Amino acid sequence: MQFASVQETARPQRKNDFMQSRRHQLQCRISRTLWAALETEQSRTGDSIAHIVERALANELDLKHHSLFQVSTSSALVEGVFDGCICVQDLKRHGDFGLGTFEGLDGEMVMLDGVCYQICAGGVAHEVADSTFVPFATITRFIADQRFAVEQAGSLNELLSQIDHQRPSDNLFAAFRVDGIFERISLRAACKAEPGEKLVDAIEHQSQYVAESETGTLVGFWAPSYATSIGVPGYHFHFINAERNLGGHVFDLRAKKLQVGMHIETDIHLAIPETQQFMAADLAADTSAALDRAEKNSQRE
Ligand SMILES: [Zn+2]
């Protein structure tokens, strides 16, 4: 008689009660043959039983876990199209993991394990209601295709170069979940934009701060350079700590004992806003330089 159990394990002990309420435990009896096959798969891949079961269930139940759900475009964001076009409840239908911002550029968004957090000035994070509106987001159903460890990263660039080695291609979208200890992390939270403000002007009054000795998770994506006007090309990471009360858009970090999960995306669903603001926006310009400034200006502090 064997039991397969699916539960969150890569979590600090003190968060267990909180996390248990957000993850489900599965107990079922399976045949000896299936169990042997699971063990073979576990030693072949190095993945946990929980991870293999979760991936197999997602495949069997036809959850589209290799689809990226992109709300609006990065060029619209640069042009100041900050009116919300989708609510958090609808986002959750398309995944449990992602990042973005809120109506009016009101803070940074992190979605992790199906919970959506808003991060405001100073990095203060809280869960948001499903009715909250969002103008821009990148969401997926995250199940790692591959996992690897990074013992030390002296900077964000050092971490990214380690991730580069594992990424199969520059031309595929990918999502990354990085759990570990962040000795120092430099963050920002966008603050509500004035009416008519564009992204580069709005981030002039962003909130920048540094956190130290935080256990937590990076939620991030790689977007290919051909996706310049849709996503944020290159890497884009947001952070949330284990207590889920501090986070932000990541500029730089020093971290250790990192567990990285990589999830490759093979198709993309672009949700085009039907707001007046989006429909009237001039999206012809090449916004890549402005986007780069807004997302990475302090990356090498
Ligand atoms: Zn961001």
Side-chain angles (χ1 to χ4, degrees), residues 148 157-170 176 222 234-235 262:
F148 52 94
N157 284 337
E158 247 182 70
L159 172 62
L160 299 184
S161 71
Q162 300 247 17
I163 292 177
D164 279 342
H165 288 128
Q166 306 287 335
R167 243 179 341 98
S169 166
D170 282 348
F176 299 93
W222 164 269
Y235 291 102
M262 177 169 67

Side-chain angles (χ1 to χ4, degrees), residues 99-101 108-109 136 188 232 236-238 248-250 294-295:
L99 48 74
T101 186
E108 309 289 336
M109 178 219 279
F136 177 90
R188 77 107 191 272
V232 176
H236 182 191
F237 279 98
H238 287 187
H249 171 103
V250 179
E295 300 301 322

Side-chain angles (χ1 to χ4, degrees), residues 27-293:
Q27 281 204 328
C28 57
R29 291 164 197 273
I30 61 172
S31 71
R32 193 172 291 184
T33 317
L34 257 182
W35 182 256
L38 260 178
E39 286 187 314
T40 306
E41 181 69 2
Q42 184 182 26
S43 59
R44 190 183 69 80
T45 60
D47 287 342
S48 66
I49 295 285
H51 176 222
I52 297 165
V53 169
E54 194 164 16
R55 191 172 51 205
L57 275 175
N59 280 325
E60 175 63 25
L61 301 175
D62 202 23
L63 295 177
K64 291 192 168 34
H65 63 286
H66 289 289
S67 303
L68 196 69
F69 184 70
Q70 173 66 44
V71 175
S72 189
T73 69
S74 55
S75 57
L77 195 69
V78 169
E79 290 300 327
V81 179
F82 303 141
D83 284 358
C85 58
I86 188 167
C87 68
V88 166
Q89 185 174 26
D90 288 333
L91 279 186
K92 288 177 177 174
R93 294 205 183 100
H94 298 275
D96 55 8
F97 177 98
L99 48 74
T101 186
F102 294 94
E103 180 150 82
L105 200 69
D106 192 10
E108 309 289 336
M109 178 219 279
V110 169
M111 193 188 286
L112 186 59
D113 295 328
V115 185
C116 189
Y117 303 92
Q118 181 177 25
I119 299 151
C120 302
V124 178
H126 61 271
E127 188 178 342
V128 291
D130 280 350
S131 56
T132 311
F133 268 80
V134 165
F136 177 90
T138 308
I139 301 291
T140 193
R141 198 172 300 283
F142 190 93
I143 298 168
D145 301 302
Q146 194 187 327
R147 290 174 196 265
F148 52 94
V150 174
E151 268 314 302
Q152 285 280 349
S155 67
L156 178 60
N157 284 337
E158 247 182 70
L159 172 62
L160 299 184
S161 71
Q162 300 247 17
I163 292 177
D164 279 342
H165 288 128
Q166 306 287 335
R167 243 179 341 98
S169 166
D170 282 348
N171 298 334
L172 295 177
F173 286 81
F176 299 93
R177 174 181 178 143
V178 184
D179 294 284
I181 299 167
F182 298 82
E183 297 161 305
R184 188 173 190 280
I185 185 160
S186 169
L187 301 162
R188 77 107 191 272
C191 297
K192 213 170 171 121
E194 301 296 330
E197 240 180 351
K198 293 192 176 185
L199 184 65
V200 283
D201 302 316
I203 56 126
E204 289 298 317
H205 51 86
Q206 67 190 357
S207 168
Q208 272 184 258
Y209 42 93
V210 172
E212 292 187 337
S213 304
E214 290 286 348
T215 298
T217 304
L218 299 176
V219 169
F221 292 91
W222 164 269
S225 52
Y226 62 75
T228 305
S229 56
I230 293 175
V232 176
Y235 291 102
H236 182 191
F237 279 98
H238 287 187
F239 172 77
I240 187 132
N241 68 355
E243 288 80 7
R244 307 292 192 251
N245 59 16
L246 179 134
H249 171 103
V250 179
F251 283 143
D252 204 0
L253 56 80
R254 192 175 70 238
K256 63 181 181 185
K257 295 190 168 62
L258 301 172
Q259 291 294 327
V260 184
M262 177 169 67
H263 172 89
I264 298 298
E265 310 288 357
T266 50
D267 76 89
I268 176 165
H269 177 156
L270 177 62
I272 301 170
E274 293 176 74
T275 59
Q276 281 301 329
Q277 196 189 28
F278 183 90
M279 289 194 279
D282 179 359
L283 302 179
D286 179 356
T287 52
S288 46
L291 186 64
D292 200 57
R293 211 176 116 207

